[in-house]
Amino acid sequence: MPLAFATDDAAAIPVHVLQADQAPGFIAALPDPARAWAGHQGFTGALGQALVLPDALGGIAQVLVGYGTSQARARGRFHIGTVARQLPKGVYRIASGLTGPDLEEAALAWLLAGYQFDRYRKPAEPIAGLVAPDGIDAARVQIIAQAEALTRDLINTPASDMGPQELETAARALADAHGAAITVITADDLIAGFPLIHAVGRASPRAPRLIDMRWGDAGPTLTLVGKGVCFDTGGLNIKPGASMGLMKKDMGGAATVLGLAQMIMALGIRLRLRVLIPAVENSIAGNAFRPQDILTSRKGLTVEINNTDAEGRLVLADALALADEETPDLVISMATLTGAARVAVGPDLSPFFTDSDDHATAIASAARQVADPVWRMPFHDPYEALIEPGIADLDNAPGGGMAGSITAALFLRRFVQSPYVHFDIYGWQPSAAPSRPKGGVGMGARAVLAALPSLLKL
């Protein structure tokens, strides 16, 4: 069901959010029975505590929520999501304790706590409802939550039901919902214009394709490029079983740019949006591309294949070259591209690359505002030599194992002259956290959305 705020209700149960140092004073001012009850329950205002205070008739009079200390809150985000899942069924409103960005984060956390991926099982009971708090843009928060749910659903769907065709179907549904135009180039029609996309996807019986969606007719131009590798066996450099276990999420970049596109279109942001998704399955067959093959990209640059498991940068290269031909004001790529990025920053941060200090500052500042953590990584020019094999213009998988995320980003940068930002995301929540169940998760999209006014001078 859609993640949405409850209908405003005068009988909504008030929720008071209390930092640890505020809790004693608030409790001291309660009526004697409530004060005694809080004491018996050991409520201290610790982060994540929730105390239901009864009324005289056995109903719920109000709820106290512990917000802990600033040090405790800094160790996570979306803390109110934990509380939202604890409360009895009903409709609640945040009555005190939060303002500004904290209040908006709490509202979003409450909505996202209600997310469940129920395509293959009976849905669980919905969580308690929340009336949209005063002082936030409720419509915007709802749009963001619903777009995040789209991203999660796409990533969580197994490859048996989320191949290139199904990813195209999802993109078409999104385009239809917002009046966007969409074209798709498929199978052997890719050979002439998108040879790298075709090479990576040709071994699968599920035809590769390039999805091209456009929306908006005024304002600055933004092109989003998302890696849509719907399953990655590694190709002839086949992955070991443990590494293949999560490869349904290798289209997480595509899922994330579709979620971001939904946010932009639903909010009616005044810009001209283009979304490019190279959708493939990297499979093994007699016609699979091979190590030491040399392929020619759309841009004309030749690429020596030193590992068929470094396929994401190949399909992105052709899509980025197409994006750059229109010289948009900004190109942003999102991809579950390298294990090196996970080694560098772990699963919770979205590393991003840009040559623009202004763009980096805008994204980092916005990320802090909306609790969508990012970390800038360098386009380190001295490493350019690592992606130049000598026999071809570029090497898709330089040896040595060092700076893998950086060399992948440098590879992609060769295909873009326009202002460019690249995100090397994980797209997966490895264990449950507040408002983020284990499974697919959006990363970086909310930070980009919040940064768009600065990035594009909107």
Side-chain angles (χ1 to χ4, degrees):
M1 63 183 297
L3 304 183
F5 291 113
T7 304
D8 196 0
D9 185 348
I13 299 163
V15 174
H16 301 281
V17 181
L18 303 171
Q19 297 184 39
D21 59 353
Q22 298 170 330
F26 190 95
I27 291 171
L30 292 172
D32 290 344
R35 186 171 64 252
W37 178 251
H40 288 312
Q41 296 299 313
F43 182 82
T44 63
L47 187 62
Q49 279 190 313
L51 177 65
V52 174
L53 296 176
D55 61 21
L57 299 177
I60 301 175
Q62 57 186 321
V63 174
L64 309 186
V65 170
Y67 207 47
T69 64
S70 59
Q71 293 89 342
R73 293 193 297 276
R75 298 184 65 172
R77 60 190 189 277
F78 292 152
H79 301 293
I80 298 300
T82 300
V83 173
R85 298 200 66 83
Q86 297 177 28
L87 295 178
K89 290 179 66 174
V91 176
Y92 298 79
R93 60 181 175 86
I94 298 175
S96 68
L98 297 174
T99 58
D102 290 337
L103 182 59
E104 186 163 308
E105 180 193 339
L108 179 61
W110 196 300
L111 293 187
L112 290 178
Y115 172 81
Q116 52 179 305
F117 182 61
D118 55 17
R119 178 169 176 171
Y120 302 98
R121 64 178 183 180
K122 182 180 178 181
E125 285 293 316
I127 67 168
L130 178 71
V131 173
D134 293 335
I136 71 164
D137 186 339
R140 180 184 177 92
V141 172
Q142 278 192 175
I143 285 168
I144 290 171
Q146 290 163 7
E148 168 68 15
L150 170 65
T151 293
R152 293 181 183 184
D153 283 349
L154 292 173
I155 297 174
N156 284 328
T157 303
S160 56
D161 293 323
M162 187 51 64
Q165 175 62 65
E166 290 80 10
L167 192 53
E168 175 189 331
T169 298
R172 287 189 181 278
L174 183 61
D176 289 346
H178 296 283
I182 190 167
T183 58
V184 179
I185 302 171
T186 308
D188 288 348
D189 290 341
L190 291 164
I191 294 174
F194 305 95
L196 297 184
I197 298 174
H198 181 268
V200 172
R202 72 192 183 201
S204 173
R206 308 164 90 180
R209 63 205 65 214
L210 177 70
I211 302 164
D212 187 347
M213 183 171 70
R214 295 176 183 266
W215 175 87
D217 56 9
T221 50
L222 170 66
T223 299
L224 305 176
V225 182
K227 175 186 170 185
V229 178
C230 295
F231 193 83
D232 181 19
T233 65
L236 293 176
N237 292 110
I238 189 168
K239 291 178 182 288
S243 299
M244 209 184 299
L246 278 181
M247 283 300 99
K248 73 173 184 177
K249 79 169 185 66
D250 213 19
M251 40 64 71
T256 302
V257 299
L258 287 174
L260 177 55
Q262 178 169 318
M263 295 177 199
I264 290 168
M265 294 187 292
L267 290 168
I269 297 175
R270 187 179 180 275
L271 54 78
R272 286 170 286 170
L273 175 67
R274 189 181 193 187
V275 178
L276 296 171
I277 296 173
V280 302
E281 186 173 52
N282 188 21
S283 297
I284 301 171
N287 65 337
F289 73 119
R290 298 164 290 266
Q292 277 69 64
D293 281 355
I294 294 180
L295 306 177
T296 302
S297 67
R298 177 181 180 85
K299 191 170 182 175
L301 295 172
T302 55
V303 182
E304 181 181 16
I305 305 303
N306 280 308
N307 192 320
T308 62
D309 195 21
E311 85 300 328
R313 68 201 68 182
L314 299 176
V315 299
L316 288 170
D318 273 353
L320 287 168
L322 175 64
D324 198 51
E325 289 165 13
E326 294 189 350
T327 60
D329 295 305
L330 182 61
V331 177
I332 299 176
S333 60
M334 290 189 161
T336 53
L337 202 63
T338 70
R342 309 287 71 76
V343 173
V345 300
D348 200 42
L349 284 163
S350 299
F352 73 99
F353 298 79
T354 177
D355 284 318
S356 168
D357 291 343
D358 289 343
H359 286 170
T361 298
I363 291 169
S365 176
R368 288 190 293 271
Q369 287 284 317
V370 300
D372 188 10
V374 301
W375 195 263
R376 187 184 187 182
M377 298 278 279
F379 276 130
H380 189 55
D381 290 332
Y383 291 165
E384 287 279 3
L386 298 177
I387 60 172
E388 296 168 346
I391 192 173
D393 294 318
L394 294 169
D395 182 341
N396 85 315
M402 291 189 179
S405 182
I406 297 173
T407 55
L410 289 171
F411 181 99
L412 295 179
R413 190 178 66 167
R414 291 290 187 97
F415 296 86
V416 190
Q417 299 299 314
S418 305
Y420 178 46
V421 179
H422 164 60
F423 282 81
D424 190 342
I425 63 173
Y426 192 43
W428 191 260
Q429 183 68 32
S431 57
S435 300
R436 288 158 291 152
K438 180 179 179 179
V441 69
M443 298 181 69
R446 292 185 297 106
V448 170
L449 180 73
L452 283 180
S454 297
L455 294 173
L456 295 174
K457 305 299 186 286
L458 295 172

